[in-house]
Amino acid sequence: MHNMYTKSKDEEAHNLDLASTTSISQHVVEPQDMMLGHENELEMIMQDQLARGASELEVVSIVGMWGISKPTLADKIYNDPFIMSRFDIRAKATVSQEYCAKKVLLSLLSSTSGKIDEHQDDGQLADRLQKSLKGRRYLVVIDDIWTKRAWDDIKLCFPDCNCGSRILLTTRNMEVAEYASSGKPPNQMRLLNVDESWKLLQREVFVKNCFSPEFEQLGKQIALKCGGLPLAIVVIAGLLSKIGEAFDQWTSVAENVSSAVSTDHNVQCMRVLALSYHH
């Protein structure tokens, strides 16, 4: 029975993988698309804060609301050829709201030392991580950290060997960013302006599909109503691409996006995601 169940679940997972791959491939979002409007921030963080500055270990913070592309910016920096050549070793981990110190330590260790023993306790893992980083110029990316306590739990794992090591931290909480930063103001990611919002929607929908001029005017209205949130724009772009040339449905999307606009951008983004979900 166990063998039959395992085989069944494997086939089910394989079918789901195929289905999700087919669905995603219809609307692929490139990292540079999500980075539209943040190119200067990217260059400043890489050149001025990570590559230059003091030889002491420094923490560089990126703060911004949900849906504003903080993880995309961090990944872009992490995988940049200049950064890869600058640091001896790189590691990254996502903390998230449901924080688990052991998972963070295991994630970092998998990048720094390869082999990991999941049966070791937090103290042993922290000691091993510190030893793997010691004496090397490292870049550690800590993505989506929510609390000061989470930072306090892991910060002692990062040795300062005066060789220009850096920690890049992303968070939605300004207090956490200021608390963790090395005396420098956090990098606050801004919302996209009207022109950048339209450019992102245009790149995702109109460059990849052929639409008549009346759709462009409606597209500009929709882009404006997304409130400058890159995630909201990209999600709506995916929805519009699937709808195709159905003007009444585009009008419906524009009306629904308008009703989703809120002063709370987290609420707004959830409503925009709901539009795509219900479709």
Side-chain angles (χ1 to χ4, degrees):
M1 288 175 65
H2 177 267
N3 290 340
M4 289 172 65
Y5 175 78
T6 303
K7 183 180 178 182
S8 172
K9 297 306 287 183
D10 286 345
E11 289 176 351
E12 183 180 321
H14 176 66
N15 290 336
L16 282 171
D17 285 343
L18 288 175
S20 62
T21 301
T22 303
S23 175
I24 291 169
S25 66
Q26 292 172 0
H27 186 74
V28 178
V29 181
E30 297 294 336
Q32 60 265 29
D33 292 346
M34 289 290 283
M35 285 309 304
L36 183 68
H38 297 297
E39 296 88 349
N40 292 336
E41 292 157 292
L42 176 70
E43 193 66 23
M44 183 189 69
I45 292 170
M46 286 200 302
Q47 295 288 345
D48 297 342
Q49 299 183 41
L50 298 181
R52 299 187 187 128
S55 59
E56 293 88 359
L57 173 66
E58 290 187 350
V59 179
V60 177
S61 295
I62 301 172
V63 64
M65 68 183 68
W66 180 52
I68 207 166
S69 306
K70 297 186 302 296
T72 307
L73 177 60
D75 282 342
K76 188 82 172 171
I77 292 170
Y78 185 83
N79 293 309
D80 186 85
F82 170 72
I83 292 296
M84 292 171 71
S85 64
R86 167 73 182 170
F87 294 93
D88 302 326
I89 189 169
R90 296 169 303 128
K92 62 179 177 178
T94 300
V95 178
S96 75
Q97 189 172 14
E98 299 299 323
Y99 165 63
C100 174
K102 186 169 186 176
K103 287 183 179 179
V104 173
L105 293 170
L106 287 170
S107 181
L108 294 173
L109 274 168
S110 67
S111 300
T112 60
S113 57
K115 295 180 181 179
I116 52 176
D117 183 359
E118 297 188 9
H119 297 97
Q120 291 183 318
D121 61 31
D122 291 7
Q124 291 172 313
L125 292 171
D127 182 61
R128 187 174 171 189
L129 176 60
Q130 188 178 58
K131 287 177 179 177
S132 71
L133 297 173
K134 198 165 187 178
R136 307 165 81 178
R137 181 190 290 159
Y138 60 84
L139 171 67
V140 170
V141 173
I142 305 294
D143 185 37
D144 196 27
I145 189 165
W146 284 64
T147 64
K148 296 177 183 179
R149 176 181 162 271
W151 172 243
D152 286 337
D153 284 351
I154 60 174
K155 69 179 181 182
L156 295 178
C157 300
F158 308 121
D160 186 359
C161 303
N162 289 300
C163 55
S165 294
R166 297 288 183 267
I167 297 170
L168 182 63
L169 179 149
T170 77
T171 180
R172 305 179 197 182
N173 190 323
M174 178 58 83
E175 286 186 13
V176 174
E178 292 174 336
Y179 179 73
S181 293
S182 303
K184 295 181 179 179
N187 300 281
Q188 188 158 14
M189 292 187 72
R190 63 176 179 81
L191 295 166
L192 300 182
N193 61 34
V194 175
D195 290 337
E196 290 164 346
S197 296
W198 164 237
K199 192 173 180 181
L200 179 55
L201 186 74
Q202 185 183 40
R203 187 184 295 178
E204 291 299 311
V205 179
F206 292 90
V207 171
K208 298 176 182 179
N209 304 276
C210 294
F211 290 103
S212 50
E214 64 264 22
F215 284 91
E216 187 169 310
Q217 290 302 316
L218 199 51
K220 288 180 179 179
Q221 294 176 33
I222 292 170
L224 177 64
K225 291 173 182 177
C226 284
L229 275 175
L231 178 60
I233 295 168
V234 168
V235 169
I236 289 297
L239 179 56
L240 294 175
S241 296
K242 289 174 184 174
I243 289 173
E245 293 194 54
F247 194 78
D248 58 331
Q249 291 192 47
W250 275 58
T251 304
S252 177
V253 168
E255 291 170 355
N256 280 293
V257 171
S258 181
S259 67
V261 171
S262 166
T263 53
D264 185 337
H265 280 89
N266 289 337
V267 172
Q268 177 190 346
C269 207
M270 286 300 293
R271 289 174 179 168
V272 169
L273 289 170
L275 292 178
S276 181
Y277 173 79
H278 289 305
H279 173 77

